Amino acid sequence: MKIVKTTLFATAFAGLTLAGCESATRTQKGAAIGVGGGAAIGAVIGKATGNTALGAIIGAAVGGTAGAIIGKKMDKQAEEIKQEVPGAKVERVEEGIVVEFSSAVLFGFDQAALTTASKSTLDDLITILNKYPDTDVEIQGHTDNTGTEKYNQALSERRASVVSNYLADKGIGLQRLSTVGYGLRNPKYTNDTPDGRSKNRRVEFLITANDKMKSDAAKEAGTK
């Protein structure tokens, strides 16, 4: 058992190292994730780092040449989001994209109702999501550590659901959407400062390849 755990950790560490190395090609990064075992490695990394977005995207990765093909498609989509969606913090992570909005961009303080301005921002994102229909979108709600765990959990769930419902109302297929609320459990920033707490009050979109994109990439790579 000890050997298995050690091997799993080493593989996860290798994947993370490649992910952070600018000199590694997307094919090399994808291959590392593929060897690491996708969902299992993603779960380990997500738990170890506290970065649920990173863990989920790695868990959905296919790896190898097909993963590199998916990565190139995600590069284009991520660049469009950066250019066309105000207030979005965009990060390319392996075969997916993380789009982060501070809750201040989407909601009033301690609120779960979208503002007029936030709807306009989401409309810009929806335009791009519609251009790339072969992706799945997980919407995560997060809070800071102010208040009780129960209250923050409920608030994060409501915010994720409100955003998902808005996307669905605007034509994004329900089969593409999923939601999860993490409350105060997964801070990405420090909760020791007002600025850090403000950043932790966020909504994240995890954009990953759906089964069709994965199948198409495998065929293009000659692996299926």
Side-chain angles (χ1 to χ4, degrees), residues 30-181:
I33 297 302
V35 170
I41 291 299
V44 171
I45 292 172
K47 184 175 181 180
T49 63
N51 190 331
T52 55
L54 174 63
I57 288 177
I58 289 176
V62 299
T65 304
I69 292 170
I70 291 171
K72 289 180 180 179
K73 294 180 179 180
M74 293 295 181
D75 285 342
K76 183 178 179 181
Q77 185 176 358
E79 189 59 33
E80 289 188 30
I81 296 172
K82 287 180 182 178
Q83 297 298 323
E84 300 179 24
V85 183
K89 180 180 178 181
V90 184
E91 182 182 5
R92 275 282 289 108
V93 179
E94 298 305 333
E95 295 171 23
I97 306 167
V98 179
V99 182
E100 177 186 326
F101 291 100
S102 164
S103 65
V105 174
L106 300 181
F107 302 100
F109 180 73
D110 202 31
Q111 299 295 311
L114 293 170
T115 65
T116 299
S118 65
K119 290 179 181 179
S120 177
T121 296
L122 289 176
D123 287 344
D124 292 332
L125 179 61
I126 288 166
T127 297
I128 297 173
L129 292 176
N130 277 325
K131 290 176 63 177
Y132 298 89
D134 295 337
T135 57
D136 292 329
V137 184
E138 179 176 292
I139 301 164
Q140 296 186 351
H142 298 268
T143 71
D144 64 15
N145 65 349
T146 304
T148 67
E149 181 174 356
K150 181 179 179 180
Y151 180 83
N152 280 295
Q153 180 63 34
L155 178 62
S156 69
E157 291 172 1
R158 289 199 305 273
R159 286 178 167 176
S161 294
V162 164
V163 172
S164 178
N165 290 339
Y166 185 79
L167 265 61
D169 288 344
K170 290 291 185 173
I172 301 297
L174 286 174
Q175 74 279 3
R176 297 179 62 186
L177 302 173
S178 61
T179 64
V180 60

Side-chain angles (χ1 to χ4, degrees), residues 192-207:
D192 295 332
T193 66
D195 180 62
R197 289 191 294 273
S198 176
K199 290 178 179 178
N200 278 327
R201 299 192 293 269
R202 67 195 191 278
V203 175
E204 292 182 331
F205 295 74
L206 279 57
I207 303 173

